[in-house]
Amino acid sequence: MRIIGYHTCKKEGKIEEIEASGPFWSTHEPDDPAKHKFLGSGYYFWDNNKGMAHSYGKATYRRKYYIFEAELKLTEENFFDLVGNRIHMLAFMELVEKFKANYEASERWPVGAFIEFLKSKGIFPYKAIRALDSSIGIREITKFDFASQHDAFTNLSPIYIVCLLELDNTILTSFKFNTEFPLPK
C-alpha cells in the first residue's frame, strides 16, 4: 500500500536541514498524560490529508509551521492497520482483553500506552501502525447517505493517522517540503 503522509512540524530551522534530518520523533511519556501519544512513540503523519496537516499546524504551532510530504510504502509484514484490516482490529481487541485480565493498570491504558507496553514485551513486531481518529472533525464530517429513508451514512473525510515506529528507508521512501502549501503567516 502506498500512502502520502503529511508531517507537520514547528517552523524552526531551514527547510533543507529539516528535509535532511526529518521527520521528527514524538515521544510517548507514560507519566505525563498531556504527553501521551495516540499510537505511542514514533514519527507521525496525516494519511493523505492536507487539511488536517494545516489544522494541526495552526492549532499546535500557532500558525508557525511547515508541512512535509512523505511517501510511505506499507506492507503486510511491516504494517499494523487498525483502519482497513479487520483481522488486525480483532487481534488488537483480543490482546487488550488478555492483558486486562493480568494487569490492573491496563483498564486505564489509552491506545498509545498499550502499544508501548506491547513493544516493551517484544510482541509488537511492526514498524508502522495506522488508526482512525473519530474525535477530530465530527462537526465537519462529510456524510454521504446510503439511502434516503435511513440514518445510515459513510464518512468521506475520515482522519487517519500513521505512526512509523522507526525510520526505515524501505517504508519512508521520500520526505520533502510541500511547496504546494503557502507558508503560514
Side-chain angles (χ1 to χ4, degrees):
M1 171 187 304
R2 180 181 169 269
I3 289 176
I4 299 300
Y6 295 98
H7 182 78
T8 310
C9 64
K10 188 182 238 182
K11 187 178 179 182
E12 282 184 356
K14 296 181 180 179
I15 291 170
E16 299 80 23
E17 292 170 356
I18 297 171
E19 281 180 330
S21 63
F24 294 101
W25 179 260
S26 188
T27 302
H28 178 86
E29 296 183 22
D31 297 331
D32 185 351
K35 294 184 180 178
H36 284 181
K37 302 303 175 197
F38 283 18
L39 300 171
S41 295
Y43 304 92
Y44 279 81
F45 298 88
W46 300 105
D47 178 347
N48 287 294
N49 197 323
K50 299 171 190 177
M52 275 310 301
H54 271 299
S55 292
Y56 184 80
K58 289 173 186 173
T60 305
Y61 302 118
R62 299 179 186 189
R63 300 184 178 271
K64 295 178 182 175
Y65 63 94
Y66 291 132
I67 295 173
F68 289 82
E69 182 177 309
E71 182 176 345
L72 308 173
K73 290 188 179 176
L74 305 169
T75 66
E76 288 184 22
E77 293 78 31
N78 66 26
F79 175 49
F80 194 73
D81 189 6
L82 293 175
V83 172
N85 188 322
R86 185 71 176 144
I87 293 168
H88 287 180
M89 292 176 207
L90 292 170
F92 193 78
M93 289 188 296
E94 185 178 308
L95 280 171
V96 168
E97 289 305 313
K98 176 182 177 181
F99 285 104
K100 273 185 182 179
N102 297 313
Y103 292 88
E104 184 179 317
S106 68
E107 288 289 333
R108 297 180 303 278
W109 278 341
V111 173
F114 188 63
I115 291 168
E116 289 297 312
F117 172 78
L118 294 176
K119 291 186 318 191
S120 75
K121 298 295 183 190
I123 54 177
F124 195 82
Y126 300 96
K127 296 180 180 181
I129 184 169
R130 179 173 69 159
L132 169 67
D133 183 349
S134 295
S135 65
I136 298 176
I138 290 173
R139 282 180 239 124
E140 296 104 31
I141 197 168
T142 305
K143 290 171 56 174
F144 195 58
D145 293 333
F146 285 122
S148 59
Q149 300 289 320
H150 302 283
D151 290 336
F153 65 91
T154 189
N155 176 3
L156 296 179
S157 60
I159 308 300
Y160 299 143
I161 300 167
V162 176
C163 179
L164 300 184
L165 306 177
E166 60 184 70
L167 281 184
D168 180 323
N169 62 5
T170 64
I171 297 173
L172 180 68
T173 60
S174 68
F175 185 78
K176 62 185 183 210
F177 179 68
N178 190 298
T179 57
E180 177 182 329
F181 295 122
L183 288 174
K185 295 177 181 170

